[in-house]
Amino acid sequence: MTPLIFLFMGVLHLLPSCCGGPVLEDGGHLKTFGEIKEEIAGYQNVAKAIIDLAVYGKAQNRSYERLALLVDTVGPRLSGSKNLEKAIQIMYQNLVDDGLENVHLEPVKVPHWERGQESAVMLEPRNHSMSILGLGSSVGTPPKGITAEVLVVSSFEELHRRASEARGKIVVYNQPYKGYPESVQYRVKGAVEAAKVGAVASLIRSVASLSIYSPHTGIQVYQDGVPQIPTACITVEDAEMMARMASRGIKIVIQLKMEAKNYPDTDSFNTVAEITGSKYPEQVVLVSGHLDSWDVGQGALDDGGGAFVSWEALSLIKDLGLSGTEISSTSLFCGFCCSRICWEFFFTGLRPKRTLRLVLWTAEEQGGIGALQYYQLHKVNISNFSLVMESDLGTFMPTGLQFTGSDKARAIIKEVMNLLQPINITQVFEGGEGTDINYWIQAGVPGANLLDDLMRYFFFHHSHGDTMTVLDPMQMNYSAAVWAVVSYVIADLDEMLPR
């Protein structure tokens, strides 16, 4: 073979079937599921090429190395902080340098809270300095702190039963860990419920599946008409110790000091980049993770990994393209395909029919502030969104995809996930919601989340332990491969996902 013919045959196997494959009969025809299934099966070689590049090829470990460079340089990225804005500017330039299209920043007003110095010391029955982390948006204590007796409870129900004992005390919640969705209510609402019964502060057992004397922070929410009291998380070990003391009838006294302060909202940005669709550029598959983090650790797990495998998904697709300026159109037009797909692949690269849009959200940890403002700005085009994807549950070895959508859309997603059989990651689970994509899902757009080892994720979530040491480059490679295959195929199918 001549070098040119060899190149042609080598790349041809990447293409979905372009001879005899299913096509739309006319502009108004919707494909049957059998036709869609056949269409998806035609992407097997494309999926294999993405997997090979991400897991075994030149892109191996790239998302890990990119992330390590950012978080080692910038550190944690709290909403409203200089660290976050520095990270946003770095990421903007990274996306430009990567050759992605329509790279831009969309302004967002975000909360600005700083924890300052903080401490909690048990004075009775013995002297013991406790490790704490103030909860986001908490008010501070007076300069001399708050010194008060402790009331330990295991649930909101117990707090309400013992409401008469709570006035003037520091409420300590020692709620058992029953999974994040159930247990996180105590972190979010603990201060409000304690204030309603007259407590002067609240300390919440960290919402964690494992603790090595590690406090885990997070957002808490005050309620209008209820006094705002200082609130912080404490370790599982200290919460259980005080519960044991209280069960013996021992009086516990704590001195709590917190310099936490809320400032006026400040300017930030959602960071956006695209691979523009070749046929339906106005239609979108959104791929995302949040760039902000809490102010402890490095924000590598939550959600640096999710943000960077989302970037990597677009990078992988871009890298599989060939530039038309390198190879002439005359020498590539083969003449034995019944459509233009081969020509389009060679000339423009592996480019989906719809636009792949990367969004790196800001202020997710404060309740999806950046995502809400993005939704309000872009919901006018909601009919053009085929799928919204968010990676915010870690990037350990993925087990599959969580999905929310119609039964027809779920059946299509299952077929797409079958393309990942070479790496044995094919499962589709319920519950594709995520803080940053819920607005779209609630409005009827299908949504997906990358799923991995959640138990392990909550070992480190919102703690000083959230560092690059937690992450594994090979596991990030697999995560990126899943993310790239799903996003590309959905963006390139002849039809959008059904609502």
Side-chain angles (χ1 to χ4, degrees):
M1 292 183 183
T2 66
L4 181 59
I5 295 299
F6 181 79
L7 175 63
F8 175 83
M9 296 305 292
V11 177
L12 183 61
H13 80 282
L14 297 178
L15 303 174
S17 300
C18 56
C19 293
V23 296
L24 292 176
E25 294 177 359
D26 58 71
H29 171 72
L30 292 178
K31 289 189 173 186
T32 65
F33 179 69
E35 290 173 325
I36 296 172
K37 184 175 180 179
E38 183 181 354
E39 180 188 8
I40 292 170
Y43 286 91
Q44 288 178 352
N45 289 332
V46 174
K48 184 177 185 301
I50 292 172
I51 291 167
D52 287 347
L53 179 60
V55 179
Y56 313 110
K58 68 177 184 179
Q60 185 183 56
N61 301 345
R62 181 169 62 185
S63 58
Y64 177 92
E65 291 163 0
R66 284 171 165 176
L67 175 60
L69 178 60
L70 178 80
V71 301
D72 289 345
T73 301
V74 176
R77 305 165 302 282
L78 184 64
S79 171
S81 69
K82 292 181 180 179
N83 279 15
L84 176 58
E85 299 319 304
K86 182 178 180 180
I88 290 171
Q89 294 303 321
I90 290 173
M91 284 306 304
Y92 171 85
Q93 191 60 51
N94 284 344
L95 298 175
V96 170
D97 293 345
D98 196 32
L100 298 178
E101 299 160 337
N102 193 24
V103 179
H104 64 280
L105 302 177
E106 298 190 3
V108 179
K109 283 288 186 182
V110 300
H112 179 193
W113 173 83
E114 294 180 2
R115 72 173 61 254
Q117 297 295 313
E118 53 191 12
S119 65
V121 179
M122 178 190 293
L123 303 178
E124 296 182 36
R126 62 181 177 87
N127 189 278
H128 169 57
S129 293
M130 296 190 288
S131 184
I132 70 167
L133 284 174
L135 295 176
S137 78
S138 175
V139 297
T141 65
K144 293 184 178 180
I146 293 172
T147 301
E149 188 176 344
V150 163
L151 172 66
V152 182
V153 298
S154 61
S155 66
F156 289 136
E157 291 74 19
E158 182 180 359
L159 175 66
H160 298 152
R161 288 198 309 270
R162 302 177 64 186
S164 60
E165 303 174 52
R167 182 163 299 278
K169 293 182 180 177
I170 296 173
V171 169
V172 170
Y173 292 95
N174 181 42
Q175 77 284 352
Y177 184 77
K178 297 181 179 179
Y180 189 76
E182 182 174 348
S183 299
V184 77
Q185 299 177 62
Y186 290 88
R187 190 196 75 204
V188 175
K189 301 190 297 184
V192 166
E193 295 304 312
K196 286 178 180 178
V197 293
V200 294
S202 63
L203 297 174
I204 291 89
R205 168 177 165 156
S206 289
V207 184
S209 52
L210 176 74
S211 178
I212 309 177
Y213 202 67
S214 51
H216 296 239
T217 189
I219 196 67
Q220 65 86 38
V221 180
Y222 289 124
Q223 182 177 315
D224 291 342
V226 178
Q228 297 184 359
I229 61 174
T231 183
C233 61
I234 57 176
T235 66
V236 171
E237 292 87 342
D238 280 337
E240 291 186 343
M241 176 186 67
M242 285 188 280
R244 292 193 300 272
M245 289 177 172
S247 70
R248 302 179 191 121
I250 296 173
K251 179 181 178 181
I252 305 168
V253 176
I254 287 177
Q255 182 184 65
L256 176 67
K257 291 184 178 180
M258 296 173 59
E259 293 180 350
K261 188 173 181 180
N262 289 284
Y263 295 89
D265 287 355
T266 188
D267 296 325
S268 187
F269 303 91
N270 290 320
T271 308
V272 183
E274 294 179 341
I275 295 176
T276 307
S278 62
K279 188 173 182 180
Y280 309 112
E282 75 283 359
Q283 296 177 7
V284 175
V285 168
L286 186 149
V287 185
S288 70
H290 67 87
L291 195 56
D292 68 297
S293 73
W294 284 103
D295 55 339
V296 292
Q298 291 183 299
L301 177 72
D302 184 18
D303 182 37
F308 274 64
V309 298
S310 295
W311 172 19
E312 183 68 12
L314 271 68
S315 282
L316 291 166
I317 293 162
K318 176 186 65 66
D319 287 350
L320 281 171
L322 296 175
S323 172
T325 60
E326 296 175 0
I327 304 174
S328 70
S329 60
T330 302
S331 61
L332 281 179
F333 197 83
C334 60
F336 50 76
C337 281
C338 58
S339 76
R340 292 181 55 82
I341 190 166
C342 289
W343 159 244
E344 290 172 354
F345 178 86
F346 280 112
F347 190 72
T348 64
L350 191 62
R351 182 179 291 273
K353 296 181 182 72
R354 289 170 196 83
T355 293
L356 276 175
R357 181 176 298 163
L358 169 69
V359 183
L360 305 179
W361 310 106
T362 193
E364 185 274 346
E365 297 294 2
Q366 281 62 41
I369 304 299
L372 174 58
Q373 293 183 44
Y374 181 89
Y375 174 73
Q376 291 171 337
L377 181 64
H378 294 279
K379 64 182 179 181
V380 65
N381 298 315
I382 194 168
S383 63
N384 283 328
F385 281 73
S386 181
L387 177 67
V388 289
M389 303 167 62
E390 177 179 10
S391 177
D392 188 20
L393 295 174
T395 49
F396 298 122
M397 181 60 72
T399 54
L401 205 69
Q402 289 180 296
F403 179 77
T404 296
S406 68
D407 290 342
K408 290 181 179 179
R410 176 175 294 276
I412 292 170
I413 290 292
K414 286 182 177 180
E415 293 301 319
V416 174
M417 289 299 290
N418 283 337
L419 297 171
L420 290 152
Q421 286 180 350
I423 52 175
N424 195 31
I425 303 170
T426 61
Q427 296 186 82
V428 179
F429 303 93
E430 299 288 338
E433 294 82 4
T435 299
D436 291 317
I437 58 174
N438 278 348
Y439 306 106
W440 300 93
I441 292 174
Q442 290 163 6
V445 179
N449 227 315
L450 189 65
L451 183 64
D452 58 24
D453 186 351
L454 289 184
M455 183 65 73
R456 188 178 173 205
Y457 176 72
F458 289 112
F459 289 0
F460 309 103
H461 177 255
H462 294 183
S463 77
H464 287 289
D466 182 353
T467 68
M468 286 303 300
T469 301
V470 171
L471 301 182
D472 181 286
M474 183 57 68
Q475 293 175 352
M476 288 188 70
N477 296 338
Y478 281 98
S479 296
V482 172
W483 224 219
V485 168
V486 172
S487 61
Y488 177 79
V489 174
I490 295 299
D492 198 55
L493 292 177
D494 285 337
E495 298 173 5
M496 291 176 64
L497 285 179
R499 299 289 170 92

